């Protein structure tokens, strides 16, 4: 594939949409609309574990699929903020909890998402400190469950977010088996 044309269709402070035309070695043309942030984006995914050993997760409405998805809290790291600040702020904002026990787990490159790199943080001994403080357009609820029940949710196809499944498995809770 060879790119023959690229055009910015839409851009603002946050989002950029580009139209790209390609041609393959058989002279077939194709066009793709690609959307991403206007700056290089790294994100943090947070796996909150309560003092009682239960796990917190969110159910968030996603407008492009017009449905709710179950996942762990996740947010882009702003250029002017640290990853630790982003972890604690997102934890407070989305699930009303905080902790001083933050453990960096791993990072991965994410394809076909808005985010280029995602870093996972396991946050243990979370305690409730705040009331939910969401942006007006965010439609999020949070839930608490045992780690075993969260694994059952994965196995029963209730959790469809690939990052949440990957991080859950990578943290060593249990390796899901779909057979």
């Amino acid at each position: 594939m060879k790119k023959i044309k690229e055009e910015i269709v839409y851009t603002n402070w946050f989002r950029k949409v580009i139209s790209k035309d390609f041609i393959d070695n058989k002279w077939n043309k194709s066009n793709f609309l690609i959307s991403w942030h206007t700056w290089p984006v790294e994100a943090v995914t947070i796996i909150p574990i309560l003092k009682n050993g239960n796990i917190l997760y969110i159910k968030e409405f996603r407008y492009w699929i017009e449905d709710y998805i179950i996942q762990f809290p996740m947010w882009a790291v702003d250029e002017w903020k640290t990853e630790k600040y982003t972890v604690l702020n997102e934890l407070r904002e989305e699930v009303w909890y905080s902790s001083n026990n933050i453990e960096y787990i791993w990072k991965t490159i994410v394809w076909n998402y808005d985010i280029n790199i995602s870093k996972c943080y396991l946050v243990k001994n979370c305690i409730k400190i705040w009331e939910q403080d969401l942006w007006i357009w965010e439609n999020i609820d949070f839930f608490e469950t045992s780690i075993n029940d969260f694994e059952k949710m994965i196995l029963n196809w209730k959790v469809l977010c690939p990052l949440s499944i990957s991080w859950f498995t990578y943290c060593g809770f249990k390796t899901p088996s779909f057979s």
Side-chain angles (χ1 to χ4, degrees):
M1 294 283 272
K2 181 180 177 184
K3 181 175 66 174
I4 57 174
K5 183 181 172 189
E6 180 175 309
E7 176 183 358
I8 296 175
V9 177
Y10 173 80
T11 189
N12 66 14
W13 69 273
F14 181 73
R15 173 92 39 222
K16 175 171 39 177
V17 179
I18 295 176
S19 173
K20 292 188 179 188
D21 293 339
F22 293 89
I23 192 163
D24 67 16
N25 57 1
K26 294 181 181 176
W27 299 97
N28 296 313
K29 290 184 179 181
S30 56
N31 175 271
F32 297 94
L33 282 178
I34 302 165
S35 170
W36 61 70
H37 293 287
T38 54
W39 68 90
V41 176
E42 290 190 4
V44 294
T45 301
I46 304 136
I47 301 179
I49 307 293
L50 301 179
K51 285 188 174 198
N52 65 9
N54 284 348
I55 197 166
L56 291 174
Y57 65 91
I58 63 173
K59 187 175 177 184
E60 183 173 5
F61 190 79
R62 295 294 184 182
Y63 293 93
W64 65 88
I65 60 172
E66 296 184 11
D67 202 356
Y68 287 89
I69 64 166
I70 293 172
Q71 67 183 51
F72 294 120
M74 179 182 191
W75 193 251
V77 179
D78 291 326
E79 292 177 291
W80 56 91
K81 296 181 181 160
T82 66
E83 287 176 23
K84 183 176 179 180
Y85 172 87
T86 303
V87 167
L88 292 174
N89 189 58
E90 192 67 3
L91 190 64
R92 176 194 59 82
E93 177 193 301
E94 289 196 355
V95 296
W96 314 352
Y97 283 76
S98 188
S99 175
N100 291 323
N101 191 342
I102 301 171
E103 179 184 349
Y104 171 75
I105 300 297
W106 193 46
K107 76 175 181 179
T108 189
I109 296 171
V110 182
W111 297 99
N112 296 325
Y113 277 85
D114 258 359
I115 294 157
N116 303 327
I117 294 174
S118 180
K119 296 180 179 179
C120 181
Y121 285 85
L122 187 62
V123 184
K124 298 178 183 174
N125 299 318
C126 293
I127 55 170
K128 187 173 181 179
I129 59 147
W130 202 262
E131 293 302 315
Q132 203 169 24
D133 183 23
L134 300 173
W135 292 2
I136 192 75
W137 53 270
E138 289 184 290
N139 191 342
I140 299 172
D141 288 314
F142 72 91
F143 301 91
E144 173 186 342
T145 192
S146 71
I147 290 170
N148 286 337
D149 285 346
F150 193 81
E151 180 188 27
K152 289 176 187 171
M153 290 169 57
I154 292 171
L155 295 173
N156 291 322
W157 302 97
K158 304 267 190 253
V159 180
L160 299 177
C161 175
L163 282 177
S164 293
I165 295 168
S166 298
W167 292 134
F168 181 83
T169 303
Y170 192 82
C171 285
F173 295 117
K174 289 193 180 172
T175 303
S177 170
F178 294 101
S179 56

